[in-house]
């Protein structure tokens, strides 16, 4: 089985019920429909990180955190550097120029990492690059 690492970043306010449902479906699909071994990496922040870890645990998915312990920007870069896809779960319904969630999103985009954004409206946007 292929190992597939999902990074997650998002609001400290936590997910909406719609975002929880879409995120759960995403992990479930990766693990059971694609028959891959899925790992989740998150930054240990309140809100989305903790909720995502709980969902992953419920699905029997291994959860890890960055080894970097100095500063949240370094931790966010390590999440991106270690993942196959970054799931972004923001508070806002559009990209913002500030904040750790969007810093991580922008870093993933610059690094060419696939991105799945689950908006508060439960609309899902995927930036998947060909050939990855």
């Amino acid at each position: 089985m292929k190992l597939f690492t999902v990074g997650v970043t998002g609001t400290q306010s936590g997910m909406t019920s719609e975002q929880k449902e879409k995120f759960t479906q995403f992990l479930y699909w990766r693990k059971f429909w694609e028959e891959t071994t899925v790992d989740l990496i998150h930054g240990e922040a309140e809100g989305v990180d903790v909720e995502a870890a709980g969902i992953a645990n419920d699905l029997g998915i291994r959860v890890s955190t960055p080894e970097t312990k100095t500063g949240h920007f370094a931790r966010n870069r390590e999440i991106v550097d270690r993942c196959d896809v970054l799931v972004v779960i923001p508070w806002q319904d559009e990209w913002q120029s500030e904040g750790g969630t969007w810093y991580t999103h922008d870093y993933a985009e610059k690094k060419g990492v696939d991105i799945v954004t689950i908006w508060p409206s439960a609309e899902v946007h995927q930036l998947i690059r060909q050939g990855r």
Side-chain angles (χ1 to χ4, degrees):
M1 272 192 165
K2 178 184 182 276
L3 174 62
F4 188 84
T5 302
V6 175
V8 68
T9 185
T11 175
Q12 291 184 355
S13 298
M15 298 182 217
T16 65
S17 58
E18 293 85 2
Q19 286 171 315
K20 285 180 185 175
E21 182 180 334
K22 293 289 184 182
F23 182 70
T24 302
Q25 289 171 355
F26 175 81
L27 290 181
Y28 185 90
W29 178 75
R30 281 288 179 185
K31 180 175 181 180
F32 297 106
W33 285 96
E34 290 194 350
E35 297 183 357
T36 56
T37 300
V38 179
D39 283 356
L40 177 80
I41 182 169
H42 68 90
E44 297 182 289
E46 290 183 30
V48 165
D49 291 357
V50 172
E51 292 171 345
I55 291 167
N57 280 326
D58 289 347
L59 293 174
I61 293 172
R62 190 174 76 97
V63 176
S64 63
T65 58
E67 294 175 12
T68 303
K69 299 295 181 191
T70 57
H72 61 279
F73 290 120
R75 291 175 63 78
N76 291 343
R77 287 190 301 271
E78 184 178 333
I79 291 168
V80 170
D81 292 341
R82 289 177 48 191
C83 74
D84 295 300
V85 63
L86 178 70
V87 178
V88 179
I89 306 174
W91 173 256
Q92 311 88 343
D93 270 317
E94 60 185 27
W95 178 87
Q96 303 290 306
S97 61
E98 298 178 344
T101 299
W102 296 109
Y103 170 86
T104 309
H105 168 277
D106 294 350
Y107 180 73
E109 200 168 68
K110 288 176 191 169
K111 295 287 287 188
V113 173
D114 293 342
I115 301 169
V116 173
T117 305
I118 305 173
W119 300 101
S121 63
E123 184 176 326
V124 178
H125 175 260
Q126 297 185 36
L127 176 58
I128 307 296
R129 290 156 177 83
Q130 299 298 321
R132 283 197 46 136

